[in-house]
Amino acid sequence: MNRRKRSKVVAAVLTGALMMVGVVHAQPKLDLALCLDSSGSVSNSEFQLQLDGTAAAVADPAVMPQDGSVRLTIIQFGRDVSVELP
């Protein structure tokens, strides 16, 4: 999977997970940034594992509060760095 396609997959998976949460909080109590490694040393299956784990964590209220108190940013890095979910 090339870098451009990985970016689209990241955005789609995490947007879907956040839509399940569905709550926007005016003043989040915590800003959380997660970094996903999409460098050449990471295989497609390893990258998918990162996506699946991140999406599962975001959707699980035992891991991430579902009340909008956490603002999430996803940063993907490889050759370049890009913010996938501001």
PDB file of all heavy atoms in Angstrom, residues 42-74:
ATOM      1  N   VAL A  42       7.750  -0.489   7.923  1.00  0.00           N
ATOM      2  CA  VAL A  42       6.487  -1.039   8.406  1.00  0.00           C
ATOM      3  C   VAL A  42       5.757  -1.698   7.239  1.00  0.00           C
ATOM      4  O   VAL A  42       5.478  -1.049   6.229  1.00  0.00           O
ATOM      5  CB  VAL A  42       5.613   0.079   9.028  1.00  0.00           C
ATOM      6  CG1 VAL A  42       4.257  -0.456   9.433  1.00  0.00           C
ATOM      7  CG2 VAL A  42       6.326   0.703  10.209  1.00  0.00           C
ATOM      8  N   SER A  43       5.446  -2.964   7.385  1.00  0.00           N
ATOM      9  CA  SER A  43       4.729  -3.683   6.321  1.00  0.00           C
ATOM     10  C   SER A  43       3.268  -3.256   6.298  1.00  0.00           C
ATOM     11  O   SER A  43       2.766  -2.626   7.234  1.00  0.00           O
ATOM     12  CB  SER A  43       4.816  -5.190   6.553  1.00  0.00           C
ATOM     13  OG  SER A  43       4.033  -5.559   7.677  1.00  0.00           O
ATOM     14  N   ASN A  44       2.574  -3.621   5.230  1.00  0.00           N
ATOM     15  CA  ASN A  44       1.150  -3.310   5.130  1.00  0.00           C
ATOM     16  C   ASN A  44       0.363  -3.927   6.279  1.00  0.00           C
ATOM     17  O   ASN A  44      -0.537  -3.299   6.829  1.00  0.00           O
ATOM     18  CB  ASN A  44       0.587  -3.775   3.791  1.00  0.00           C
ATOM     19  CG  ASN A  44       1.070  -2.922   2.645  1.00  0.00           C
ATOM     20  OD1 ASN A  44       1.501  -1.787   2.834  1.00  0.00           O
ATOM     21  ND2 ASN A  44       1.010  -3.464   1.441  1.00  0.00           N
ATOM     22  N   SER A  45       0.694  -5.163   6.635  1.00  0.00           N
ATOM     23  CA  SER A  45      -0.042  -5.817   7.715  1.00  0.00           C
ATOM     24  C   SER A  45       0.252  -5.153   9.066  1.00  0.00           C
ATOM     25  O   SER A  45      -0.644  -5.026   9.902  1.00  0.00           O
ATOM     26  CB  SER A  45       0.260  -7.310   7.766  1.00  0.00           C
ATOM     27  OG  SER A  45       1.626  -7.537   8.037  1.00  0.00           O
ATOM     28  N   GLU A  46       1.479  -4.712   9.269  1.00  0.00           N
ATOM     29  CA  GLU A  46       1.813  -3.999  10.512  1.00  0.00           C
ATOM     30  C   GLU A  46       1.104  -2.646  10.569  1.00  0.00           C
ATOM     31  O   GLU A  46       0.634  -2.224  11.624  1.00  0.00           O
ATOM     32  CB  GLU A  46       3.321  -3.801  10.634  1.00  0.00           C
ATOM     33  CG  GLU A  46       4.077  -5.083  10.879  1.00  0.00           C
ATOM     34  CD  GLU A  46       5.574  -4.925  10.708  1.00  0.00           C
ATOM     35  OE1 GLU A  46       6.022  -4.081   9.905  1.00  0.00           O
ATOM     36  OE2 GLU A  46       6.308  -5.661  11.387  1.00  0.00           O
ATOM     37  N   PHE A  47       1.035  -1.969   9.431  1.00  0.00           N
ATOM     38  CA  PHE A  47       0.339  -0.693   9.385  1.00  0.00           C
ATOM     39  C   PHE A  47      -1.146  -0.885   9.660  1.00  0.00           C
ATOM     40  O   PHE A  47      -1.760  -0.129  10.417  1.00  0.00           O
ATOM     41  CB  PHE A  47       0.546  -0.011   8.028  1.00  0.00           C
ATOM     42  CG  PHE A  47      -0.070   1.357   7.960  1.00  0.00           C
ATOM     43  CD1 PHE A  47       0.517   2.419   8.621  1.00  0.00           C
ATOM     44  CD2 PHE A  47      -1.228   1.573   7.249  1.00  0.00           C
ATOM     45  CE1 PHE A  47      -0.058   3.680   8.578  1.00  0.00           C
ATOM     46  CE2 PHE A  47      -1.804   2.831   7.196  1.00  0.00           C
ATOM     47  CZ  PHE A  47      -1.214   3.893   7.859  1.00  0.00           C
ATOM     48  N   GLN A  48      -1.733  -1.927   9.085  1.00  0.00           N
ATOM     49  CA  GLN A  48      -3.148  -2.222   9.317  1.00  0.00           C
ATOM     50  C   GLN A  48      -3.381  -2.531  10.793  1.00  0.00           C
ATOM     51  O   GLN A  48      -4.409  -2.150  11.357  1.00  0.00           O
ATOM     52  CB  GLN A  48      -3.619  -3.379   8.441  1.00  0.00           C
ATOM     53  CG  GLN A  48      -5.111  -3.588   8.468  1.00  0.00           C
ATOM     54  CD  GLN A  48      -5.887  -2.388   7.943  1.00  0.00           C
ATOM     55  OE1 GLN A  48      -5.595  -1.892   6.870  1.00  0.00           O
ATOM     56  NE2 GLN A  48      -6.850  -1.927   8.706  1.00  0.00           N
ATOM     57  N   LEU A  49      -2.442  -3.214  11.420  1.00  0.00           N
ATOM     58  CA  LEU A  49      -2.548  -3.503  12.850  1.00  0.00           C
ATOM     59  C   LEU A  49      -2.599  -2.205  13.660  1.00  0.00           C
ATOM     60  O   LEU A  49      -3.395  -2.086  14.602  1.00  0.00           O
ATOM     61  CB  LEU A  49      -1.363  -4.366  13.293  1.00  0.00           C
ATOM     62  CG  LEU A  49      -1.338  -4.804  14.747  1.00  0.00           C
ATOM     63  CD1 LEU A  49      -2.525  -5.709  15.058  1.00  0.00           C
ATOM     64  CD2 LEU A  49      -0.021  -5.516  15.042  1.00  0.00           C
ATOM     65  N   GLN A  50      -1.767  -1.218  13.287  1.00  0.00           N
ATOM     66  CA  GLN A  50      -1.801   0.084  13.951  1.00  0.00           C
ATOM     67  C   GLN A  50      -3.175   0.743  13.795  1.00  0.00           C
ATOM     68  O   GLN A  50      -3.740   1.267  14.753  1.00  0.00           O
ATOM     69  CB  GLN A  50      -0.764   1.044  13.354  1.00  0.00           C
ATOM     70  CG  GLN A  50       0.674   0.702  13.646  1.00  0.00           C
ATOM     71  CD  GLN A  50       1.592   1.722  13.004  1.00  0.00           C
ATOM     72  OE1 GLN A  50       1.802   2.799  13.535  1.00  0.00           O
ATOM     73  NE2 GLN A  50       2.130   1.376  11.832  1.00  0.00           N
ATOM     74  N   LEU A  51      -3.706   0.710  12.561  1.00  0.00           N
ATOM     75  CA  LEU A  51      -5.013   1.315  12.299  1.00  0.00           C
ATOM     76  C   LEU A  51      -6.116   0.626  13.097  1.00  0.00           C
ATOM     77  O   LEU A  51      -6.942   1.289  13.728  1.00  0.00           O
ATOM     78  CB  LEU A  51      -5.355   1.214  10.815  1.00  0.00           C
ATOM     79  CG  LEU A  51      -4.643   2.141   9.865  1.00  0.00           C
ATOM     80  CD1 LEU A  51      -5.110   1.866   8.439  1.00  0.00           C
ATOM     81  CD2 LEU A  51      -4.893   3.576  10.226  1.00  0.00           C
ATOM     82  N   ASP A  52      -6.126  -0.687  13.046  1.00  0.00           N
ATOM     83  CA  ASP A  52      -7.172  -1.442  13.734  1.00  0.00           C
ATOM     84  C   ASP A  52      -7.118  -1.206  15.243  1.00  0.00           C
ATOM     85  O   ASP A  52      -8.151  -1.008  15.885  1.00  0.00           O
ATOM     86  CB  ASP A  52      -7.052  -2.938  13.436  1.00  0.00           C
ATOM     87  CG  ASP A  52      -7.332  -3.274  11.983  1.00  0.00           C
ATOM     88  OD1 ASP A  52      -7.896  -2.433  11.258  1.00  0.00           O
ATOM     89  OD2 ASP A  52      -6.947  -4.389  11.560  1.00  0.00           O
ATOM     90  N   GLY A  53      -5.924  -1.206  15.799  1.00  0.00           N
ATOM     91  CA  GLY A  53      -5.772  -0.977  17.231  1.00  0.00           C
ATOM     92  C   GLY A  53      -6.182   0.424  17.641  1.00  0.00           C
ATOM     93  O   GLY A  53      -6.858   0.619  18.661  1.00  0.00           O
ATOM     94  N   THR A  54      -5.811   1.404  16.829  1.00  0.00           N
ATOM     95  CA  THR A  54      -6.178   2.790  17.118  1.00  0.00           C
ATOM     96  C   THR A  54      -7.694   2.970  17.029  1.00  0.00           C
ATOM     97  O   THR A  54      -8.311   3.568  17.913  1.00  0.00           O
ATOM     98  CB  THR A  54      -5.463   3.756  16.156  1.00  0.00           C
ATOM     99  OG1 THR A  54      -4.051   3.578  16.304  1.00  0.00           O
ATOM    100  CG2 THR A  54      -5.816   5.191  16.459  1.00  0.00           C
ATOM    101  N   ALA A  55      -8.297   2.447  15.972  1.00  0.00           N
ATOM    102  CA  ALA A  55      -9.748   2.566  15.810  1.00  0.00           C
ATOM    103  C   ALA A  55     -10.487   1.866  16.953  1.00  0.00           C
ATOM    104  O   ALA A  55     -11.469   2.397  17.487  1.00  0.00           O
ATOM    105  CB  ALA A  55     -10.179   1.995  14.464  1.00  0.00           C
ATOM    106  N   ALA A  56     -10.011   0.702  17.353  1.00  0.00           N
ATOM    107  CA  ALA A  56     -10.650  -0.027  18.454  1.00  0.00           C
ATOM    108  C   ALA A  56     -10.524   0.746  19.763  1.00  0.00           C
ATOM    109  O   ALA A  56     -11.482   0.832  20.545  1.00  0.00           O
ATOM    110  CB  ALA A  56     -10.038  -1.419  18.594  1.00  0.00           C
ATOM    111  N   ALA A  57      -9.368   1.333  20.008  1.00  0.00           N
ATOM    112  CA  ALA A  57      -9.160   2.104  21.233  1.00  0.00           C
ATOM    113  C   ALA A  57     -10.061   3.335  21.270  1.00  0.00           C
ATOM    114  O   ALA A  57     -10.667   3.649  22.298  1.00  0.00           O
ATOM    115  CB  ALA A  57      -7.696   2.516  21.358  1.00  0.00           C
ATOM    116  N   VAL A  58     -10.162   4.028  20.137  1.00  0.00           N
ATOM    117  CA  VAL A  58     -10.995   5.237  20.069  1.00  0.00           C
ATOM    118  C   VAL A  58     -12.466   4.893  20.300  1.00  0.00           C
ATOM    119  O   VAL A  58     -13.193   5.644  20.941  1.00  0.00           O
ATOM    120  CB  VAL A  58     -10.793   5.949  18.716  1.00  0.00           C
ATOM    121  CG1 VAL A  58     -11.840   7.023  18.491  1.00  0.00           C
ATOM    122  CG2 VAL A  58      -9.393   6.554  18.640  1.00  0.00           C
ATOM    123  N   ALA A  59     -12.897   3.759  19.818  1.00  0.00           N
ATOM    124  CA  ALA A  59     -14.304   3.362  19.937  1.00  0.00           C
ATOM    125  C   ALA A  59     -14.646   2.735  21.287  1.00  0.00           C
ATOM    126  O   ALA A  59     -15.824   2.608  21.622  1.00  0.00           O
ATOM    127  CB  ALA A  59     -14.659   2.388  18.813  1.00  0.00           C
ATOM    128  N   ASP A  60     -13.643   2.381  22.082  1.00  0.00           N
ATOM    129  CA  ASP A  60     -13.875   1.691  23.351  1.00  0.00           C
ATOM    130  C   ASP A  60     -13.964   2.698  24.499  1.00  0.00           C
ATOM    131  O   ASP A  60     -12.975   3.335  24.846  1.00  0.00           O
ATOM    132  CB  ASP A  60     -12.729   0.712  23.602  1.00  0.00           C
ATOM    133  CG  ASP A  60     -12.939  -0.137  24.835  1.00  0.00           C
ATOM    134  OD1 ASP A  60     -13.800   0.196  25.687  1.00  0.00           O
ATOM    135  OD2 ASP A  60     -12.225  -1.150  24.963  1.00  0.00           O
ATOM    136  N   PRO A  61     -15.131   2.837  25.126  1.00  0.00           N
ATOM    137  CA  PRO A  61     -15.276   3.809  26.212  1.00  0.00           C
ATOM    138  C   PRO A  61     -14.414   3.498  27.433  1.00  0.00           C
ATOM    139  O   PRO A  61     -14.155   4.384  28.240  1.00  0.00           O
ATOM    140  CB  PRO A  61     -16.766   3.763  26.553  1.00  0.00           C
ATOM    141  CG  PRO A  61     -17.275   2.509  25.965  1.00  0.00           C
ATOM    142  CD  PRO A  61     -16.367   2.129  24.838  1.00  0.00           C
ATOM    143  N   ALA A  62     -13.944   2.266  27.566  1.00  0.00           N
ATOM    144  CA  ALA A  62     -13.048   1.937  28.672  1.00  0.00           C
ATOM    145  C   ALA A  62     -11.640   2.492  28.433  1.00  0.00           C
ATOM    146  O   ALA A  62     -10.862   2.649  29.361  1.00  0.00           O
ATOM    147  CB  ALA A  62     -12.980   0.425  28.863  1.00  0.00           C
ATOM    148  N   VAL A  63     -11.323   2.785  27.158  1.00  0.00           N
ATOM    149  CA  VAL A  63     -10.011   3.320  26.804  1.00  0.00           C
ATOM    150  C   VAL A  63     -10.078   4.824  26.602  1.00  0.00           C
ATOM    151  O   VAL A  63      -9.243   5.572  27.105  1.00  0.00           O
ATOM    152  CB  VAL A  63      -9.462   2.639  25.526  1.00  0.00           C
ATOM    153  CG1 VAL A  63      -8.148   3.251  25.098  1.00  0.00           C
ATOM    154  CG2 VAL A  63      -9.327   1.138  25.738  1.00  0.00           C
ATOM    155  N   MET A  64     -11.066   5.272  25.844  1.00  0.00           N
ATOM    156  CA  MET A  64     -11.210   6.688  25.539  1.00  0.00           C
ATOM    157  C   MET A  64     -12.615   7.139  25.891  1.00  0.00           C
ATOM    158  O   MET A  64     -13.589   6.593  25.383  1.00  0.00           O
ATOM    159  CB  MET A  64     -10.946   6.950  24.055  1.00  0.00           C
ATOM    160  CG  MET A  64     -10.951   8.395  23.699  1.00  0.00           C
ATOM    161  SD  MET A  64     -10.192   8.615  22.085  1.00  0.00           S
ATOM    162  CE  MET A  64     -10.563  10.327  21.823  1.00  0.00           C
ATOM    163  N   PRO A  65     -12.729   8.130  26.762  1.00  0.00           N
ATOM    164  CA  PRO A  65     -14.057   8.609  27.140  1.00  0.00           C
ATOM    165  C   PRO A  65     -14.879   8.997  25.914  1.00  0.00           C
ATOM    166  O   PRO A  65     -14.351   9.547  24.951  1.00  0.00           O
ATOM    167  CB  PRO A  65     -13.768   9.842  28.004  1.00  0.00           C
ATOM    168  CG  PRO A  65     -12.361   9.667  28.467  1.00  0.00           C
ATOM    169  CD  PRO A  65     -11.662   8.908  27.383  1.00  0.00           C
ATOM    170  N   GLN A  66     -16.166   8.717  25.966  1.00  0.00           N
ATOM    171  CA  GLN A  66     -17.057   8.983  24.850  1.00  0.00           C
ATOM    172  C   GLN A  66     -17.850  10.270  25.054  1.00  0.00           C
ATOM    173  O   GLN A  66     -18.828  10.521  24.370  1.00  0.00           O
ATOM    174  CB  GLN A  66     -18.014   7.804  24.668  1.00  0.00           C
ATOM    175  CG  GLN A  66     -17.324   6.468  24.536  1.00  0.00           C
ATOM    176  CD  GLN A  66     -16.468   6.336  23.301  1.00  0.00           C
ATOM    177  OE1 GLN A  66     -16.958   6.518  22.202  1.00  0.00           O
ATOM    178  NE2 GLN A  66     -15.205   6.021  23.466  1.00  0.00           N
ATOM    179  N   ASP A  67     -17.422  11.098  26.011  1.00  0.00           N
ATOM    180  CA  ASP A  67     -18.158  12.319  26.340  1.00  0.00           C
ATOM    181  C   ASP A  67     -17.579  13.581  25.698  1.00  0.00           C
ATOM    182  O   ASP A  67     -18.006  14.689  25.987  1.00  0.00           O
ATOM    183  CB  ASP A  67     -18.218  12.508  27.847  1.00  0.00           C
ATOM    184  CG  ASP A  67     -16.838  12.676  28.474  1.00  0.00           C
ATOM    185  OD1 ASP A  67     -15.820  12.655  27.745  1.00  0.00           O
ATOM    186  OD2 ASP A  67     -16.775  12.811  29.710  1.00  0.00           O
ATOM    187  N   GLY A  68     -16.606  13.417  24.796  1.00  0.00           N
ATOM    188  CA  GLY A  68     -16.014  14.569  24.121  1.00  0.00           C
ATOM    189  C   GLY A  68     -14.957  15.282  24.938  1.00  0.00           C
ATOM    190  O   GLY A  68     -14.478  16.342  24.538  1.00  0.00           O
ATOM    191  N   SER A  69     -14.566  14.726  26.053  1.00  0.00           N
ATOM    192  CA  SER A  69     -13.579  15.394  26.907  1.00  0.00           C
ATOM    193  C   SER A  69     -12.154  15.215  26.406  1.00  0.00           C
ATOM    194  O   SER A  69     -11.235  15.843  26.926  1.00  0.00           O
ATOM    195  CB  SER A  69     -13.703  14.891  28.348  1.00  0.00           C
ATOM    196  OG  SER A  69     -13.419  13.506  28.416  1.00  0.00           O
ATOM    197  N   VAL A  70     -11.959  14.369  25.390  1.00  0.00           N
ATOM    198  CA  VAL A  70     -10.630  14.151  24.808  1.00  0.00           C
ATOM    199  C   VAL A  70     -10.664  14.585  23.343  1.00  0.00           C
ATOM    200  O   VAL A  70     -11.515  14.138  22.576  1.00  0.00           O
ATOM    201  CB  VAL A  70     -10.206  12.665  24.899  1.00  0.00           C
ATOM    202  CG1 VAL A  70      -8.855  12.460  24.231  1.00  0.00           C
ATOM    203  CG2 VAL A  70     -10.167  12.223  26.349  1.00  0.00           C
ATOM    204  N   ARG A  71      -9.739  15.490  22.989  1.00  0.00           N
ATOM    205  CA  ARG A  71      -9.596  15.907  21.587  1.00  0.00           C
ATOM    206  C   ARG A  71      -8.433  15.117  21.015  1.00  0.00           C
ATOM    207  O   ARG A  71      -7.336  15.139  21.547  1.00  0.00           O
ATOM    208  CB  ARG A  71      -9.344  17.401  21.505  1.00  0.00           C
ATOM    209  CG  ARG A  71      -9.181  17.889  20.081  1.00  0.00           C
ATOM    210  CD  ARG A  71      -9.122  19.387  19.969  1.00  0.00           C
ATOM    211  NE  ARG A  71      -8.441  20.021  21.088  1.00  0.00           N
ATOM    212  CZ  ARG A  71      -8.644  21.286  21.457  1.00  0.00           C
ATOM    213  NH1 ARG A  71      -9.514  22.029  20.822  1.00  0.00           N
ATOM    214  NH2 ARG A  71      -7.994  21.789  22.479  1.00  0.00           N
ATOM    215  N   LEU A  72      -8.673  14.416  19.909  1.00  0.00           N
ATOM    216  CA  LEU A  72      -7.704  13.499  19.333  1.00  0.00           C
ATOM    217  C   LEU A  72      -7.100  14.059  18.049  1.00  0.00           C
ATOM    218  O   LEU A  72      -7.823  14.570  17.196  1.00  0.00           O
ATOM    219  CB  LEU A  72      -8.387  12.163  19.033  1.00  0.00           C
ATOM    220  CG  LEU A  72      -7.539  11.063  18.412  1.00  0.00           C
ATOM    221  CD1 LEU A  72      -6.424  10.638  19.356  1.00  0.00           C
ATOM    222  CD2 LEU A  72      -8.413   9.878  18.044  1.00  0.00           C
ATOM    223  N   THR A  73      -5.790  13.943  17.929  1.00  0.00           N
ATOM    224  CA  THR A  73      -5.075  14.271  16.702  1.00  0.00           C
ATOM    225  C   THR A  73      -4.289  13.041  16.287  1.00  0.00           C
ATOM    226  O   THR A  73      -3.665  12.390  17.121  1.00  0.00           O
ATOM    227  CB  THR A  73      -4.112  15.456  16.908  1.00  0.00           C
ATOM    228  OG1 THR A  73      -4.857  16.605  17.267  1.00  0.00           O
ATOM    229  CG2 THR A  73      -3.307  15.745  15.661  1.00  0.00           C
ATOM    230  N   ILE A  74      -4.340  12.716  15.003  1.00  0.00           N
ATOM    231  CA  ILE A  74      -3.583  11.589  14.464  1.00  0.00           C
ATOM    232  C   ILE A  74      -2.505  12.136  13.544  1.00  0.00           C
ATOM    233  O   ILE A  74      -2.799  12.895  12.628  1.00  0.00           O
ATOM    234  CB  ILE A  74      -4.479  10.621  13.665  1.00  0.00           C
ATOM    235  CG1 ILE A  74      -5.622  10.094  14.536  1.00  0.00           C
ATOM    236  CG2 ILE A  74      -3.655   9.485  13.061  1.00  0.00           C
ATOM    237  CD1 ILE A  74      -5.196   9.220  15.665  1.00  0.00           C
TER     238      ILE A  74
END
